[in-house]
Amino acid sequence: EAQVTQNPRYLITVTGKKLTVTCSQNMNHEYMSWYRQDPGLGLRQIYYSMNVEVTDKGDVPEGYKVSRKEKRNFPLILESPSPNQTSLYFCASSLAGEYNEQFFGPGTRLTVL
Amino acid sequence: AQSVTQLGSHVSVSEGALVLLRCNYSSSVPPYLFWYVQYPNQGLQLLLKYTTGATLVKGINGFEAEFKKSETSFHLTKPSAHMSDAAEYFCAVSLNTGKLIFGQGTTLQVKP
């Protein structure tokens, strides 16, 4: 089944404790992206990747890191999480081209205490 | 800069009534436009998209949207609401980097 998977689905952590949210897709998509969803703000892009070893900042990159060493994986790293990073996070992937549908993972709900 | 505005953060309709969710965009180039739906505790799922060609676009679950360039709008409609349509709906415009610019979202409530 074609899908985007994220792990973990739920995470409660404390300020400053490094964490990684994994994202993997099995559709051989070139493009991958991370978004955060906050009430009243819709989804905002954190980072994106056009292909392996090619990443760039989105609208809200502060406090996050990403890497794209393999085409299928695009982990999101929070090196020192803070409470303002409490949010719902989505990974998405698509074929190259802005007219292509993005496929979304199920989301990771992160709480930073 | 491209942006998307969804008018009304909450819309409530009765089952069987017309659904109309409004979306306006600003774009300096011909846009690619999308509507996504998010059911509770799930990721986003594509309802429909406009790229080029016919301005009336049909999607899944009986939804459709019309691209009106003169009004910079891409409103989503469904003739008859069903209880299962209750969800949050997002309009988005795509940039040439593949980035999606989302509206704030509209929560659709369907009353029996």
Side-chain angles (χ1 to χ4, degrees), chain B residues 66-82:
Chain B
E66 187 171 10
F67 170 62
K68 292 187 176 181
K69 185 177 179 180
S70 61
E71 299 177 8
T72 61
S73 69
F74 191 56
H75 302 332
L76 182 70
T77 60
K78 182 174 180 178
S80 177
H82 192 272

Side-chain angles (χ1 to χ4, degrees), chain B residues 85-99:
Chain B
D85 295 327
E88 189 160 19
Y89 292 80
F90 292 94
C91 182
V93 62
S94 179
L95 305 183
N96 57 6
T97 59
K99 175 180 177 180

Side-chain angles (χ1 to χ4, degrees), chain A residues 76-91:
Chain A
L76 179 70
I77 303 157
L78 286 72
E79 298 226 326
S80 184
S82 62
N84 64 12
Q85 293 177 297
T86 293
S87 187
L88 180 58
Y89 292 87
F90 289 100
C91 181

Side-chain angles (χ1 to χ4, degrees), chain A residues 6 9 35-39 42-43 88-90 104-109, chain B residues 21 35-47 60-61 63 76 84-91 102-108:
Chain A
Q6 295 178 227
R9 293 289 312 278
Y35 298 88
R36 59 177 289 173
Q37 182 181 11
D38 301 290
L43 281 81
L88 180 58
Y89 292 87
F90 289 100
F104 284 78
T108 295
R109 186 166 293 281
Chain B
L21 304 182
W35 274 100
Y36 284 86
V37 61
Q38 183 181 27
Y39 298 105
N41 299 316
Q42 294 186 27
L44 280 72
Q45 177 184 356
L46 182 71
L47 272 178
I60 62 172
N61 301 337
F63 284 93
L76 182 70
S84 60
D85 295 327
E88 189 160 19
Y89 292 80
F90 292 94
C91 182
F102 285 90
Q104 304 91 324
T106 298
T107 299
L108 176 65

Side-chain angles (χ1 to χ4, degrees), chain A residues 31 37 45 59 98-99 102, chain B residues 38 49 94-95 98-99:
Chain A
Y31 183 89
Q37 182 181 11
Q45 191 181 52
D59 294 320
E98 60 270 26
Y99 42 83
Q102 289 194 21
Chain B
Q38 183 181 27
K49 67 178 182 180
S94 179
L95 305 183
K99 175 180 177 180

Side-chain angles (χ1 to χ4, degrees), chain A:
Chain A
E1 179 189 356
Q3 59 182 347
V4 179
T5 57
Q6 295 178 227
N7 283 292
R9 293 289 312 278
Y10 302 91
L11 179 60
I12 300 174
T13 189
V14 296
T15 299
K17 185 176 182 181
K18 181 179 179 179
L19 66 92
T20 299
V21 183
T22 64
C23 173
S24 183
Q25 51 92 6
N26 62 1
M27 295 169 279
N28 202 36
H29 286 166
E30 295 86 5
Y31 183 89
M32 296 187 75
S33 181
W34 277 102
Y35 298 88
R36 59 177 289 173
Q37 182 181 11
D38 301 290
L41 297 177
L43 281 81
R44 295 175 293 167
Q45 191 181 52
I46 303 170
Y47 270 95
Y48 66 96
S49 170
M50 303 286 275
N51 215 322
V52 176
E53 302 291 2
V54 181
T55 63
D56 208 347
K57 297 178 180 178
D59 294 320
V60 288
E62 295 78 19
Y64 304 94
K65 285 177 57 177
V66 294
S67 67
R68 186 95 181 269
K69 292 184 170 57
E70 305 166 284
K71 197 171 187 179
R72 63 184 294 127
N73 296 322
F74 191 45
L76 179 70
I77 303 157
L78 286 72
E79 298 226 326
S80 184
S82 62
N84 64 12
Q85 293 177 297
T86 293
S87 187
L88 180 58
Y89 292 87
F90 289 100
C91 181
S93 73
S94 72
L95 293 169
E98 60 270 26
Y99 42 83
N100 286 309
E101 169 190 1
Q102 289 194 21
F103 292 82
F104 284 78
T108 295
R109 186 166 293 281
L110 173 65
T111 301
V112 183
L113 302 175

